[in-house]
Each structure stands twice: as structure tokens, then as C-alpha cells.
Amino acid sequence: MSGLPDRSVNIGRLHLKNPIMTASGTFGYAEEYATFVDLNLLGAIVVKSITLKPRVGSYPHRSTEVASGLLATIGLQNVGIERFLQDKLPFFESIQTPLIVNIGGESIEEYVSLARSIDQQARVHGIELNVSCPNVRRGGMHFGVDPEVLRELVSQVRQVTGKVVIVKLSPMVTDIRPLAEICQRQGADAVSLINAPIGMAVDIKTRRSRLGKNLTGGLTGPAIKPIALYCVWRVCRAVDLPVIGIGGISCLEDAFEFFIAGACAVQVGTWNFINPRITQDIIEGLERYMVEHHIKNLSELRGTSAEQVPKVR
Ligand SMILES: Cc1cc2nc3c(=O)[nH]c(=O)nc-3n(C[C@H](O)[C@H](O)[C@H](O)COP(=O)(O)O)c2cc1C
């Protein structure tokens, strides 16, 4: 036995050697990052949302920097499931890290069809449902904000796949807990949160949106970390599922905040654009920290936030 701390975590039946994952849409199809990061060190890789058909995505302007964050509207640009399986998946045969494929759709049938295709791929370990996609049958309302639709979606996907199913929740709801409870009841293995809340930025000279015709975009980066932590903390107290924290993680200390709030793993997103090696830096830092502080495994940190409400004098 090596005296090294145990950084491993379980997400359903999936065993990860450490809790640091990539966030969908910020790590391409992983090969783009192979020169920066030893991909075999990662806990898991989550790839860009895949849809049934290829998508060209939004018009320019697609992104703009805002205070402590990024406002972006990529419009689910991706190669589509067929090309993903043919051209992108073979790359993963050269690495061992578990692969989670994030999927998006315009109808429940599309999600189910994608889940069926992915279920046949031995190299894929899990499916993450991006439920922040517009549901065309409900006038564009996102799947993840309507409890009935979410229930049906998770239930139907669960029926067609034995892979680990992770539901990625949006913070754009009054209370995120009932949605996480639905995921648990319908057999999801985990929930990940948060997807990007929607925001706006205005160019005061032109009096137009800084995202051009797209008008709005998802807000990501450190600006959303407090919201993400709050959502994670609430969901961890509502469900008995592994919770994967996402939102504004830029260093090891940020990841610790999520573990202390109750997350069992985290995904790193926007910060990959600033430091493409950030995932590896966090993983190496985590091991050093655990050794220095005599932490044998991550459960010693998980969910240890103080919860007392301060007394009003
Ligand atoms: C450029 C960009 C593209 C994204 N694309 C997707 C996507 O395709 N599917 C998805 O579920 N989330 C997508 N996201 C959201 C991220 O996975 C993540 O939930 C969000 O960025 C918050 O994490 P962060 O603050 O660490 O970036 C995208 C985010 C960014 C910045």
C-alpha cells in the first residue's frame, strides 16, 4: 500500500481516480487539450454537448467578457452524434480516463435516441443530460425548469441506458431542490450543477446587446461561483445522490469550497480558457494538500460546512 491519500470518488457505479472533471463545452472533444494536460490524470472528461444532427451554432458575437466572468452563446455548435462516434470517439481509445458524453435535444425523443446510440459504446462511461436546451414543443421552455417534462425526460432516458446518468441542472428556477429530487426518483445516478444562468451585457454607445443578434448568453466563470455553491449546498441537503459542483472554479481552493458544501466531485469550465492546464494543476495541488494536511480521503472534507444561522442580537 502506498501512503498516498485516496482522492477517488464514486458516481453511481463509476469509479473516478480523483474528483476533477472538465465541464461540457469548455474542453472541446479533449484532443484539443492533449498538448496542455496529461488527459490520463483527469478524474473524468465531459465533452461538448452532442445533438442528433450537427449544429453550426449562434451568429457572432458569441461571447463577451464581463466583470469576473464570460457571457457566451455558442448555440450548441457540435458535430452531431454520427460524426462524434466516427471521428471523435476513436481518440479516446488512446487514453484511460472515463468519458462522459453530454447530450442535448429539442424533444424527449431526441434525448432518448442519443442515449440509445451512446449506450452501445463501450468506451463511454456516462451520459450527462444538458437539460438547459429549449423544448420546441413547449415554446422553447427549457427541459430542466418544468418538473413534469424533467420527470418524463429522466425516466425515459433511464429506461434505455445502463450507463451512469448525470442530470445537469440549471439555476434559473425558484427552488432547485424539487428538480434534483425528481432526478433521484427517476433513477439518475447523479446531478451536476450549475449550468450557466442567463445574462445580458449592453454596449452603451450602440445601445445594442454586446452579443449582437443573440441578445443574451450564459454567464460563467468566477462571477457565478457563489450562486453555484448555494445551489450545491441546497441540493446536497435535499437528495441522496452524488452532487457534482460546477461554476467559477479557478483554483484548488475553489474546488474545496464545493467539497465542503457537499459536492463529491467538481467540473472546471471557463478557467480552461485562461489556463488550459488548470485541471492538472488542481489535481496535483489536491494531492499535495491532502498529504500536508493529513487528509486520508475526501469524505473527511465533504459536507463539512458549518450551518448555524448567526443569532441576531
Ligand atoms: C463557451 C462555453 C460553452 C459551453 N457549452 C456547454 C455545452 O455544450 N453543454 C453544457 O451542458 N454546458 C455548456 N457550458 C456550460 C459549462 O459546462 C458550465 O456549466 C458553466 O460554464 C459553468 O462553469 P464555469 O463557471 O466553470 O465555466 C458551456 C460554457 C461555456 C463557457
Side-chain angles (χ1 to χ4, degrees), residues 289-310:
Y289 184 95
M290 289 174 79
V291 170
E292 276 168 25
H293 293 82
H294 310 289
I295 296 173
K296 290 200 189 66
N297 68 61
L298 286 172
S299 56
E300 289 176 36
L301 277 177
R302 195 175 307 134
T304 51
S305 54
E307 283 171 28
Q308 288 88 350
V309 179

Side-chain angles (χ1 to χ4, degrees), residues 29 49-57 75-84 104-106 110 113-114:
Y29 302 104
S49 280
I50 305 290
T51 52
L52 266 187
K53 298 266 175 285
R55 287 176 60 104
V56 291
L76 286 182
Q77 177 186 352
N78 78 98
V79 296
I81 186 72
E82 223 174 284
R83 266 198 60 207
F84 173 74
E106 291 184 349
E110 285 192 14
S113 167
L114 286 159

Side-chain angles (χ1 to χ4, degrees), residues 23-26 48-49 70 72 74 76 102 128 130 168 194-196 220-222 224 246-249 267-271 273:
S24 177
T26 64
K48 171 79 189 158
S49 280
L70 180 71
I74 308 302
L76 286 182
N102 178 303
E128 183 176 63
N130 175 1
K168 183 169 181 179
I194 55 175
N195 208 331
T220 67
I224 66 168
I246 321 168
I249 295 173
Q267 295 181 5
V268 181
T270 301
W271 215 260
F273 303 147

Side-chain angles (χ1 to χ4, degrees), residues 31-279:
E31 55 190 322
E32 298 89 333
Y33 277 81
T35 51
F36 302 106
V37 176
D38 178 352
L39 299 174
N40 280 315
L41 292 182
L42 299 174
I45 294 171
V46 184
V47 286
K48 171 79 189 158
S49 280
I50 305 290
T51 52
L52 266 187
K53 298 266 175 285
R55 287 176 60 104
V56 291
S58 309
Y59 302 102
H61 303 59
R62 287 180 162 199
S63 65
T64 185
E65 205 173 318
V66 293
S68 302
L70 180 71
L71 201 58
T73 165
I74 308 302
L76 286 182
Q77 177 186 352
N78 78 98
V79 296
I81 186 72
E82 223 174 284
R83 266 198 60 207
F84 173 74
L85 298 179
Q86 263 169 32
D87 301 347
K88 306 293 178 186
L89 194 55
F91 169 77
F92 289 91
E93 298 300 338
S94 62
I95 53 173
Q96 282 93 49
T97 299
L99 168 62
I100 294 167
V101 177
N102 178 303
I103 60 173
E106 291 184 349
S107 64
I108 292 182
E109 292 77 12
E110 285 192 14
Y111 281 94
V112 169
S113 167
L114 286 159
R116 270 191 218 279
S117 308
I118 292 165
D119 189 60
Q120 293 160 21
Q121 308 302 323
R123 182 59 188 86
V124 181
H125 294 80
I127 298 176
E128 183 176 63
L129 302 181
N130 175 1
V131 297
S132 303
C133 299
N135 179 350
V136 286
R137 282 197 205 131
R138 299 249 176 153
M141 189 176 180
H142 289 186
F143 290 87
V145 303
D146 181 330
E148 275 314 309
V149 173
L150 184 68
R151 187 187 327 275
E152 198 51 35
L153 173 62
V154 179
S155 154
Q156 290 205 27
V157 168
R158 179 73 288 170
Q159 285 168 41
V160 299
T161 181
K163 306 275 185 204
V164 164
V165 172
I166 302 166
V167 186
K168 183 169 181 179
L169 296 174
S170 161
M172 302 290 284
V173 291
T174 314
D175 187 352
I176 197 168
R177 293 173 300 179
L179 298 153
E181 285 161 8
I182 288 171
C183 297
Q184 173 165 317
R185 278 200 297 276
Q186 298 311 316
D189 296 286
V191 285
S192 57
L193 53 141
I194 55 175
N195 208 331
I198 309 299
M200 242 188 133
V202 173
D203 179 335
I204 59 167
K205 286 201 204 95
T206 61
R207 300 190 184 182
R208 298 273 190 276
S209 163
R210 276 164 54 191
L211 292 174
K213 286 185 195 158
N214 302 302
L215 302 180
T216 60
L219 178 61
T220 67
I224 66 168
K225 196 184 75 178
I227 300 171
L229 270 170
Y230 171 66
C231 292
V232 163
W233 177 77
R234 269 168 86 84
V235 167
C236 286
R237 275 143 196 82
V239 296
D240 203 10
L241 280 180
V243 174
I244 301 166
I246 321 168
I249 295 173
S250 68
C251 59
L252 177 63
E253 288 75 8
D254 290 341
F256 275 149
E257 286 193 59
F258 281 89
F259 298 141
I260 292 167
C264 75
V266 293
Q267 295 181 5
V268 181
T270 301
W271 215 260
N272 288 299
F273 303 147
I274 291 164
N275 170 10
R277 234 188 82 98
I278 184 62
T279 44

